[in-house]
Amino acid sequence: MLEKEKVTVLAIESSCDETAAAVVSEGREVLSNVISSQIDIHKLYGGVVPEIASRKHIEKINQVIEAALIESGKTLEEIDAVCVTYGPGLVGALLVGVGTAKALSYAAHKPLVGVHHIEGHISANYIANPDLEPPFLCLVASGGHSHLVLVKDYGDYAILGRTRDDAAGEAFDKVARAIGLGYPGGPKIDKLSREGNPEAIVFPKASIDGAPYDFSFSGVKSAVLNYINGCKMKQQPYSQADIAASFQKAVVDVLVEHTMLAAKDYKIHQIAIAGGVACNSNLRAGMEKACEKRGYSFYMPTPVLCTDNAAMIGAAGYYEYIKGVRHGLDLNAVPGLKLGE
Ligand code: KG4
Ligand code: ZN
């Protein structure tokens, strides 16, 4: 009998400050994953400058796609579909990926599949864990989002909780700036925390009445700023490392507690994490420990698949493609795209 041909997709991601392309087979096998990061440019400004991001995507996108195809050993003709992030994200940045994907789809006569960025982050877990199947609960924590998502089936999601204000990664970035660590703050706070005492300062852990799975990180961020200002006014020295470790503990504890509460209430015993903040060593360890204690299975992508990349878009795009999802050449960037739309 002839072996079934594998479905292989080319995926493109340009929603924020990484220009990325990947070739993925059967949703889980990464043949190439090329990422061109703009972090070195944006850190000069203390955060992502949207206009610069768009321009850099235009400069890089063709090279990145070409590199992804060469590295995968596939030609465009051998690809079954072109998948692209069409939201949420920065509109100018998204448009570069969407425009390029449409041109490739038209020129090579390949179906076009638009992918939700968060669905991509969640799907990074399929790559890292070949045995993972829905249903599972996924905490998505990145620079732009903090969502607790019930993955009912492939492409079928219920958002159980979300942030009311700042995303977790945004809080890491803002606190890092306040203590003079620079952008992006998450990895810097993570590293510095190892030298600090997480019990040194008690920062607030916000809960929202009537919405037990929602998050709020603006309070802890303000508390850090107030603490620093208080020390400066009293001319007291403060420890950057203690602030970093105590802030990180406040954020990680809430992320773990809310996820465990939702897992118990919804009786879901497979837990995953995703998004840039899922690189955080304390969150990875804290979640693993909490799951182990309760007998839950815990899944996490490798760090390179947590931050923005196109392999995750290829994984999500594959499941959309086999469900029959196809987009027309009128596909547009949707900066505020909601999950499930
Ligand atoms: O998923 P991502 O690359 O982009 C968005 O979709 O937003 O996430 C970037 C965010 C940044 O806020 C960054 O500070 C945070 O992820 N991040 C971390 C760590 N590594 C990246 N936050 C905490 N600890 C880390 N190790
Ligand atoms: Zn992202």
Side-chain angles (χ1 to χ4, degrees):
M1 207 169 79
L2 273 176
E3 201 190 326
K4 183 183 150 282
E5 284 282 323
K6 284 183 177 176
V7 172
T8 301
V9 302
L10 169 68
I12 300 170
E13 154 65 40
S14 69
S15 65
C16 190
D17 60 345
E18 334 279 347
T19 319
V23 177
V24 179
S25 261
E26 297 287 298
R28 305 210 182 214
E29 192 188 333
V30 178
L31 305 186
S32 65
N33 186 24
V34 179
I35 305 167
S36 168
S37 173
Q38 304 175 358
I39 282 184
D40 284 345
I41 305 159
H42 297 292
K43 76 178 176 200
L44 303 173
Y45 305 93
V48 178
V49 183
E51 181 60 23
I52 296 178
S54 317
R55 285 165 190 259
K56 288 286 156 197
H57 284 312
I58 293 174
E59 278 174 25
K60 292 283 178 193
I61 198 143
N62 287 344
Q63 296 166 32
V64 166
I65 292 171
E66 200 175 351
L69 284 169
I70 292 172
E71 209 177 288
S72 73
K74 297 279 179 194
T75 62
L76 201 49
E77 288 67 44
E78 291 169 308
I79 295 292
D80 294 290
V82 180
C83 305
V84 63
T85 307
Y86 73 110
L90 302 169
V91 68
L94 287 165
L95 275 171
V96 178
V98 170
T100 309
K102 289 201 286 192
L104 285 173
S105 153
Y106 179 71
H109 307 287
K110 299 292 174 183
L112 178 68
V113 180
V115 176
H116 192 289
H117 184 75
I118 306 268
E119 183 174 9
H121 274 301
I122 294 169
S123 303
N125 280 287
Y126 297 133
I127 298 170
N129 307 287
D131 57 325
L132 175 64
E133 304 262 0
F136 62 94
L137 189 64
C138 187
L139 170 74
V140 188
S142 72
H145 317 276
S146 296
H147 284 27
L148 200 46
V149 182
L150 176 60
V151 183
K152 295 190 272 184
D153 201 347
Y154 293 105
D156 186 5
Y157 307 98
I159 298 180
L160 307 183
R162 49 161 53 88
T163 182
R164 297 293 181 104
D165 38 59
D166 291 351
E170 200 179 343
F172 269 94
D173 294 337
K174 286 179 179 166
V175 165
R177 195 182 308 158
I179 57 176
L181 297 179
Y183 177 85
K188 293 186 172 149
I189 291 198
D190 194 350
K191 192 161 167 239
L192 185 61
S193 291
R194 286 172 210 152
E195 294 158 30
N197 173 10
E199 314 289 343
I201 312 151
V202 180
F203 288 126
K205 295 185 208 167
S207 308
I208 288 128
D209 278 348
Y213 318 125
D214 276 1
F215 303 105
S216 166
F217 296 111
S218 66
V220 60
K221 176 197 70 193
S222 304
V224 172
L225 299 180
N226 289 342
Y227 177 84
I228 296 172
N229 288 336
C231 291
K232 282 183 182 160
M233 269 163 57
K234 288 182 244 155
Q235 293 181 326
Q236 272 174 4
Y238 58 84
S239 155
Q240 270 186 323
D242 283 351
I243 295 177
S246 304
F247 159 78
Q248 180 172 273
K249 179 178 166 36
V251 173
V252 166
D253 283 357
V254 166
L255 292 172
V256 174
E257 281 162 22
H258 289 199
T259 308
M260 290 304 126
L261 181 66
K264 182 169 148 258
D265 292 350
Y266 284 82
K267 300 186 174 52
I268 298 284
H269 300 160
Q270 296 199 104
I271 314 295
I273 56 174
V277 180
C279 292
N280 185 270
S281 49
N282 259 53
L283 178 64
R284 293 169 88 86
M287 210 54 113
E288 191 159 29
K289 198 169 148 204
C291 287
E292 203 179 281
K293 194 172 143 197
R294 293 165 178 80
Y296 298 166
S297 307
F298 176 57
Y299 301 89
M300 58 185 167
T302 53
V304 75
L305 293 173
C306 289
T307 46
D308 288 350
N309 66 88
M312 68 184 197
I313 303 302
Y318 163 81
Y319 288 105
E320 295 293 339
Y321 173 81
I322 57 168
K323 259 192 344 200
V325 171
R326 305 287 184 270
H327 284 93
L329 292 178
D330 57 350
L331 180 69
N332 205 352
V334 184
L337 186 67
K338 301 273 179 298
L339 197 61
E341 268 180 12

